[in-house]
């Protein structure tokens, strides 16, 4: 079976056994990224022996990347939490489930009103649905959020305003059927490898045109017809420039604009304020290349094999390079304006894709783990709230809750005094970790529910052991809105339990004290939970476990049991009616820019072999072997300026902290910047350096730009990592 990219690794701990007949096989879904590849988990004597692809899965079509194929040994790693832990005499010590849950129930009852919860985009839809029900019904608050806040919240914000829905509009098959792909601020080869593979197939087999926009020369750029390498934080200028070029050459889709949109003239007036040359200069790209990119997107030449009567389509895909800025929502508006201008929505082979990150970040939002709406993005409107209250036989709050990044900041004001964190590790994933750590330490009461005792769990008052995707039944929803089954393949590790079961047990203990019927948390199975979620969520109403069993994954919206599911959205109209142009002007590129003391821009992101802070992938030897130190990628010009050679151990410092890593000198990064993934290796982690400055509408942190300096590590710089400011003048 093909392994995406040829970078396969050997698999200690998952060595294939000779006699395959003795093995059991369980069809499930990859627990890493939002592509949602189908996997087959092979087990023998209750141990996972091997993971293979699922050729029948329509999202992955027999492909897997290195993490799906070789990254699963974290499931049965000896570090897994096996019992609840309760802090006694300052130490986390093993406790029974009854002791731990009684304590959590008793303490949380005191904090209704000053409570917040993070849900997990790694856990299932069923886990997420039960958690938001607990927070709303038992804790009486809408203070629930998850990592979407750190991820695509600006995209969702912009799409809701302009279109009325926050999901990817198309499917992976549309990338293969497109005549042009525009890939912006993301690195699919490392972060969505199977999507990258499908995009390469389009380019190689069908002659699809490719435009890549990224300050870093990512691998996919080698296949691009146009590669634009803008200065970080200047995407509004770049996309307004493309829009201006389309208008100058009359390539806009006038029929689409007239029939399907509003606000065109006001938006056009703003775009016309500058010329293509001025826009190109503002973002540091060649104006001819900008014009060419605009032509390819608006009117691509038909790809090979396209029926003569079909209009060639363009897909726009983007990632964190767009969103993780103090003007992330403006960036997303600029992209959606472009799609409306060119009419590249609502047909096969076109559409817009904010590439979703975590395996179930789509589903966690769909299930209602966001502060500003109920399951299915339903607003806190009287009729909607009444429907939930009728189903749940008790009142729920109508005030929007506090967003994740604000919950952390509002620990300082006492608005948040207790937190329940499920399957997230904010003390590696939030920006400015020294600051975040100070805040988390000020909580009165912290519960963490996870597979491992990670950095955040170490501060908790109670730690609850959750079981992984391989030990439970459920569903994940991937980046193309496909709801897919997750099936138990191995027995649970230790006393760990599924997240939804733990929360139900806790909720039943607390319910009688807050006027809620404990029967509301008495589900018999994951299927039971899904059935309730589908009943209350219009776009999932037609999906059931029976159908998923029979038909495989189904793409929402699927409003009725006989509906086949939806490949692409917006064929006839947008959920808000007309698509809305929103004028945006380029703001200052970032909150903190280079100066004499910190002359470089730090761009943070990911590498193929690691997952976020590394809680999972540091425990997979085969992946750790590939990348075991923090790579610091630096431009040759800067390397020379700061006396750094390829392979040197280097120290990177910002006003907030420092890390030690290994230099990779390459002109793939833009002059003036360094790229560091945010995985923690050898105690070094990029988020000690990043800036807790936020985009106003979405409250996403500016992970993609802050000012740093880099120097070769000197012998006396031992164990340089952490969050202390590095020079007295910085204090
Ligand atoms: N291997 C692996 N895969 C993952 C993950 C992982 O941790 N490891 N995480 C998953 C998750 S949750 C997510 S959200 C996705 C993220 O997937 P991506 O969005 O691909 O994530 P990043 O690595 O953050 O890459 C963002 C890209 O933006 C570029 N960039 C930086 N600044 C700018 C800018 O100002 N403008 C533009 N146009 N580009 C810019 C960077 O150079 C980088 O290539 O990956 C998912 N997949
Ligand atoms: N500098 C910088 N920082 C970033 C980013 C960046 O690009 N740059 N990207 C941001 C983005 S896009 C994201 S999404 C966040 C990610 O931030 P997090 O979500 O905090 O990161 P993960 O390490 O994926 O955390 C997932 C946790 O879930 C646990 N887990 C796995 N399965 C289960 C389960 O079934 N149940 C339970 N209870 N736990 C489970 C794992 O052990 C792990 O601890 O980081 C953000 N931080
Ligand atoms: S592309 Fe994503 S979903 Fe597919 S195998 Fe890799 S990590 Fe898993
Ligand atoms: Mo993400």
């Amino acid at each position: 079976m093909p392994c995406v990219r040829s970078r396969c690794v050997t698999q200690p701990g998952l060595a294939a056994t000779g006699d395959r007949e003795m093995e059991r096989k369980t069809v499930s879904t990859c627990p890493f990224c939002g592509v949602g590849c189908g996997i087959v988990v092979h087990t023998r004597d209750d141990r996972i022996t091997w993971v293979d692809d699922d050729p029948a899965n329509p999202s992955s079509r027999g492909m897997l990347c290195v993490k799906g194929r070789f990254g699963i040994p974290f499931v049965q790693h000896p570090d897994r939490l096996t019992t609840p832990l309760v802090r006694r005499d300052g130490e986390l010590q093993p406790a029974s489930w009854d002791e731990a849950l009684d304590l959590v129930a008793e303490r949380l009852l005191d904090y209704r009103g000053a409570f917040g919860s993070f849900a997990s985009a790694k856990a299932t839809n069923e886990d997420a649905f039960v958690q938001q029900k607990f927070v709303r019904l038992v804790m009486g608050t809408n203070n629930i959020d998850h990592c979407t806040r750190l991820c695509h919240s600006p995209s969702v914000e912009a799409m809701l305003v302009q279109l009325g829905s926050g999901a990817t509009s198309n499917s992976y098959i549309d990338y293969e059927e497109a005549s042009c792909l525009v890939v912006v601020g993301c690195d699919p080869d490392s972060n969505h490898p199977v999507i990258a593979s499908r995009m390469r197939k389009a380019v190689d087999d069908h002659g699809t045109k490719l435009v890549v926009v990224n300050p870093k020369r990512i691998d996919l750029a080698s296949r691009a017809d146009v590669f634009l390498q803008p200065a970080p934080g200047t995407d509004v200028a770049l996309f307004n420039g493309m829009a201006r070029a389309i208008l100058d050459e009359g390539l806009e889709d006038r029929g689409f604009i007239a029939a399907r949109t509003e606000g065109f003239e006001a938006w056009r007036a703003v775009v016309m304020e500058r010329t293509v040359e001025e826009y190109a200069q503002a973002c540091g790209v060649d104006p001819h290349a900008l014009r060419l990119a605009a032509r390819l997107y608006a009117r691509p030449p038909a790809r090979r094999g396209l029926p003569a009567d079909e209009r060639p389509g363009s897909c726009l895909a983007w990632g964190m390079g767009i969103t993780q800025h103090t003007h992330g929502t403006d960036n997303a508006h600029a992209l959606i304006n472009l799609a409306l201008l060119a009419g590249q929505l609502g047909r096969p082979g076109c559409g817009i894709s904010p590439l979703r990150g975590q395996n179930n970040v789509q589903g966690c939002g769909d299930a209602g783990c966001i502060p500003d709406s109920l399951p299915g993005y339903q607003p806190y409107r009287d009729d909607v709230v009444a429907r939930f209250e009728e189903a749940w036989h008790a009142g729920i709050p109508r005030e929007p809750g506090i967003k994740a990044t604000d919950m952390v900041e509002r620990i300082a004001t006492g608005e948040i005094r207790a937190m329940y964190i499920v399957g997230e590790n904010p003390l590696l994933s939030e920006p400015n970790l020294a600051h975040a750590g100070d805040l988390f330490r000020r909580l009165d009461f912290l519960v963490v529910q996870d597979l491992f005792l990670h950095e955040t769990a170490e501060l908790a008052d109670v730690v609850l052991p959750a079981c992984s995707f391989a030990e439970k039944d459920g569903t994940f929803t991937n980046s193309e809105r496909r709801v897919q089954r997750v099936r138990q393949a191995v027995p649970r590790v230790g006393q760990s339990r599924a997240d939804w079961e733990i929360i139900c047990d806790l909720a039943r203990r607390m319910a009688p004290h807050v006027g809620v019927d404990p029967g509301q948390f008495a589900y018999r199975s994951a299927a039971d939970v899904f059935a309730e979620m589908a009943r209350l969520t219009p776009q999932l109403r037609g999906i059931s476990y029976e159908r998923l069993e029979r038909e495989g994954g189904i793409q929402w919206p699927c409003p009725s049991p006989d509906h086949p599911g939806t490949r692409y959205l917006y064929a006839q109209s947008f959920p808000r009616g007309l698509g809305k142009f929103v004028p945006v002007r380029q703001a200052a590129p970032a909150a903190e820019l280079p100066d004499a003391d910190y002359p470089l821009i730090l761009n943070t992101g990911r590498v193929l072999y690691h997952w976020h802070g590394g809680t999972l992938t540091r425990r997979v030897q085969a992946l750790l072997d590939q990348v075991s130190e923090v790579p610091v990628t630096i431009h040759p010009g800067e390397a020379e300026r700061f006396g750094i050679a390829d392979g040197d151990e280097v120290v990177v410092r910002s006003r907030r902290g420092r890390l030690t890593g290994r230099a990779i000198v390459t002109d793939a990064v833009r002059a003036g910047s360094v790229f560091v993934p945010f995985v923690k290796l050898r105690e070094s982690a990029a988020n000690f350096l990043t800036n807790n400055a936020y985009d106003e509408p979405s409250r996403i942190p500016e992970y993609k730009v802050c000012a740093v300096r880099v120097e070769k590590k000197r012998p006396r710089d031992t164990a340089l990592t952490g969050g202390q400011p590095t020079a007295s003048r910085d204090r």
Side-chain angles (χ1 to χ4, degrees), residues 491-508:
R492 290 164 179 197
V493 170
Q495 297 175 33
S496 67
R497 301 164 73 185
D499 293 289
W500 70 264
E501 292 175 277
I502 301 171
I503 295 167
C504 282
D505 195 341
L506 174 67
R508 286 194 302 269

Side-chain angles (χ1 to χ4, degrees), residues 708-721:
V708 295
R709 63 171 180 259
V710 184
E711 59 213 21
K712 192 166 166 169
K713 190 177 166 209
R714 292 157 304 188
R716 65 180 178 83
D717 293 342
T718 45
L720 266 184
T721 188

Side-chain angles (χ1 to χ4, degrees), residues 352-435:
I352 52 172
S353 315
L355 297 174
R356 301 313 308 254
Q358 295 266 29
N359 54 313
N360 196 39
V361 66
Q362 181 66 53
C364 197
D366 299 347
C369 293
I370 40 177
D372 32 30
S373 54
L374 289 161
Y377 310 95
Q378 298 175 87
Y380 301 118
R381 222 178 38 216
D382 287 349
D383 57 318
V384 179
V385 170
R387 217 154 38 78
F388 279 86
E389 292 183 336
E390 194 188 326
W392 293 346
H393 302 299
I396 55 170
R398 290 159 191 243
E399 286 291 298
I402 305 174
K403 297 175 170 123
T405 41
D406 288 333
M407 285 190 224
V408 179
E409 298 287 358
R410 291 194 202 176
I411 296 170
T413 61
E415 277 170 272
I416 298 290
R417 291 167 59 206
M419 288 193 76
Y420 187 166
I421 297 181
V422 176
E424 284 200 357
N425 185 8
L427 287 185
L428 281 186
S429 50
E430 289 282 323
N432 191 359
L433 286 178
H435 168 73

Side-chain angles (χ1 to χ4, degrees), residues 147-148 150-152 320 324 356-358 361 606 612:
C147 65
T148 191
L150 312 177
C151 192
H152 266 301
M320 302 296 101
Q324 292 174 338
R356 301 313 308 254
Q358 295 266 29
V361 66
R606 297 155 169 80
H612 297 151

Side-chain angles (χ1 to χ4, degrees), residues 4 29-39 60 63-69 191-195 357 359 608 611:
V4 172
T29 306
C30 176
F32 284 103
C33 91
V35 179
C37 296
I39 58 173
S60 52
M63 292 180 278
L64 288 181
C65 82
V66 66
K67 291 180 296 302
R69 204 175 283 282
N191 304 329
H192 299 90
V194 166
I195 285 181
N359 54 313
L608 172 66
W611 193 259

Side-chain angles (χ1 to χ4, degrees), residues 123-407:
T124 61
N125 287 320
E126 294 74 5
D127 294 326
F129 182 80
V130 169
Q131 187 174 345
Q132 61 81 37
K133 182 174 176 181
F134 164 76
V135 170
R136 295 192 157 107
L137 202 55
V138 177
M139 293 306 293
T141 174
N142 288 317
N143 294 345
I144 179 156
D145 208 349
H146 66 287
C147 65
T148 191
R149 190 63 47 204
L150 312 177
C151 192
H152 266 301
S153 56
S155 313
V156 173
E157 204 70 39
M159 289 189 292
L160 285 174
V161 168
Q162 297 188 260
L163 312 172
S165 160
T168 288
S169 82
N170 51 7
S171 295
Y172 310 153
I173 183 74
D174 291 304
Y175 308 145
E176 288 176 23
E177 294 189 4
S179 294
C180 174
L181 297 168
V182 179
V183 177
V184 185
C186 57
D187 183 355
D189 282 298
S190 71
N191 304 329
H192 299 90
V194 166
I195 285 181
S197 175
R198 296 187 71 166
M199 289 177 166
R200 282 164 186 271
K201 184 170 152 58
V203 173
D204 295 347
D205 296 359
H206 308 304
T208 294
K209 299 293 176 193
L210 176 65
V211 176
V212 169
V213 183
N214 199 313
K216 190 172 159 214
R217 196 176 64 237
I218 54 170
D219 286 354
L220 206 58
S222 66
R223 298 284 227 288
D225 295 276
V226 182
F227 170 45
L228 299 173
Q229 200 170 14
T234 62
D235 291 271
V236 170
L238 192 147
F239 292 103
N240 278 358
M242 271 175 77
R244 173 78 207 238
I246 290 171
L247 291 167
D248 284 352
E249 299 186 21
L251 303 177
E252 69 272 26
D253 185 340
R254 296 205 183 116
F256 187 90
I257 294 167
R260 306 264 326 249
T261 72
E262 63 181 347
F264 174 71
E265 286 305 332
W267 167 81
R268 183 177 177 279
V270 170
V271 168
M272 296 303 285
E273 287 170 5
R274 294 169 89 177
T275 62
V276 172
E277 279 65 27
E278 286 166 341
Y279 283 123
Q281 196 186 5
C283 56
V285 305
D286 172 28
H288 302 293
L290 193 62
R291 279 207 184 82
L292 182 55
R295 279 178 216 130
L296 288 177
Y297 178 68
R299 298 284 174 96
R303 70 174 190 105
R304 283 195 284 279
L306 187 78
D309 58 343
E310 218 173 277
R311 181 182 159 198
S314 292
C315 292
L316 191 51
W318 72 92
M320 302 296 101
I322 282 296
T323 58
Q324 292 174 338
H325 294 277
T326 41
H327 48 76
T329 304
D330 284 354
N331 289 346
H333 280 309
L335 285 173
I336 298 160
N337 289 334
L338 200 66
L340 293 174
L341 178 69
Q344 293 291 12
L345 281 162
R347 308 187 310 278
C350 67
I352 52 172
S353 315
L355 297 174
R356 301 313 308 254
Q358 295 266 29
N359 54 313
N360 196 39
V361 66
Q362 181 66 53
C364 197
D366 299 347
C369 293
I370 40 177
D372 32 30
S373 54
L374 289 161
Y377 310 95
Q378 298 175 87
Y380 301 118
R381 222 178 38 216
D382 287 349
D383 57 318
V384 179
V385 170
R387 217 154 38 78
F388 279 86
E389 292 183 336
E390 194 188 326
W392 293 346
H393 302 299
I396 55 170
R398 290 159 191 243
E399 286 291 298
I402 305 174
K403 297 175 170 123
T405 41
D406 288 333
M407 285 190 224

